[in-house]
Amino acid sequence: HINMGHPTDIFLIPPASTFVCSICYDVLKDASSFKECGHTFCDLCLDGCVAAAASCPTCRTLVQTGSIPNYLLRDVIDSLEVRCPEWESNDSGDGKKRKRDAASGCGWKGTVSDLHQHRDACGFKIIECGEQGCKHTCQRKDMEYHRSSRNGKLEHMELKYKRKLKAMEQRTEQRMEKLERRLDHRYEEN
């Protein structure tokens, strides 16, 4: 499933069931509670739930006034100790997760509140190249090699010239259409 909350396996101490969203089964991310019944879910899960049905998935109470942030629960969860989600590898080829060895995985540990900032800089996070049209993905720490390698440079050059060629073809096609309209107009006048 797509993680709406924080994956439970990144917590150094298994989180209490109180901290687990009953919609996505991850640890609550941006915990929010229904005003009517007080049940708490991840903010994104709660939004999806309200869009699908106007009742609480736990107690089926009709919810009409929306939700409020559960700041107390957010603060408690933000203080929990976690490891980087990139401590595991999904690239074993068989679809099963495997633990990285110390040399190939991220060893960062910190609190949930520091996790977002770490993920923005983590060298082990899989990212996209960023060059327009390039679909290459790799770990952040390896991206510079992709961009500076002979193959990477050739691929980016090819993409650049394909874009330029396509733009030239479009301009030529527009000019041709304009000329055809002029010719049609002239034939209609005669």
Side-chain angles (χ1 to χ4, degrees), residues 145-158:
Y145 175 76
H146 162 71
R147 291 183 180 136
S148 63
S149 71
R150 187 174 63 112
N151 287 343
K153 286 179 180 178
L154 285 172
E155 183 181 341
H156 294 166
M157 247 190 314
E158 248 180 67

Side-chain angles (χ1 to χ4, degrees), residues 3-176:
N3 289 354
M4 297 295 259
H6 303 288
T8 55
D9 62 349
I10 67 171
F11 288 81
L12 300 182
I13 297 172
S17 61
T18 310
F19 301 148
V20 177
C21 175
S22 60
I23 296 174
C24 70
Y25 301 107
D26 288 330
V27 173
L28 294 162
K29 184 174 188 179
D30 300 324
S32 293
S33 303
F34 282 123
K35 291 178 183 177
E36 288 83 0
C37 63
H39 285 115
T40 303
F41 308 92
C42 298
D43 194 50
L44 285 175
C45 291
L46 195 134
D47 287 346
C49 175
V50 171
S55 64
C56 172
T58 301
C59 67
R60 301 292 177 217
T61 297
L62 187 63
V63 290
Q64 297 175 328
T65 57
S67 63
I68 56 172
N70 187 327
Y71 291 114
L72 178 62
L73 205 47
R74 287 182 183 193
D75 287 347
V76 171
I77 291 170
D78 277 351
S79 69
L80 297 176
E81 295 280 322
V82 292
R83 65 173 57 91
C84 178
E86 307 305 327
W87 71 281
E88 280 191 337
S89 173
N90 292 320
D91 55 17
S92 59
D94 57 6
K96 295 179 183 173
K97 286 186 175 184
R98 62 180 171 79
K99 289 185 179 160
R100 299 178 190 266
D101 58 36
S104 67
C106 182
W108 179 87
K109 292 179 183 173
T111 62
V112 170
S113 62
D114 296 330
L115 183 60
H116 182 72
Q117 184 177 358
H118 167 72
R119 294 227 37 194
D120 286 345
C122 179
F124 293 91
K125 184 175 180 183
I126 303 294
I127 61 171
E128 286 188 19
C129 173
E131 180 72 29
Q132 187 179 356
C134 184
K135 305 269 190 253
H136 180 80
T137 60
C138 66
Q139 291 179 332
R140 181 177 279 119
K141 65 183 181 59
D142 299 327
M143 189 55 72
E144 186 53 39
Y145 175 76
H146 162 71
R147 291 183 180 136
S148 63
S149 71
R150 187 174 63 112
N151 287 343
K153 286 179 180 178
L154 285 172
E155 183 181 341
H156 294 166
M157 247 190 314
E158 248 180 67
L159 288 167
K160 178 181 175 183
Y161 288 110
K162 280 182 183 178
R163 286 193 306 271
K164 282 185 175 184
L165 182 60
K166 187 169 182 82
M168 287 171 50
E169 288 172 346
Q170 287 174 341
R171 284 194 303 270
T172 303
E173 191 174 304
Q174 289 169 353
R175 288 180 186 148
M176 292 298 290

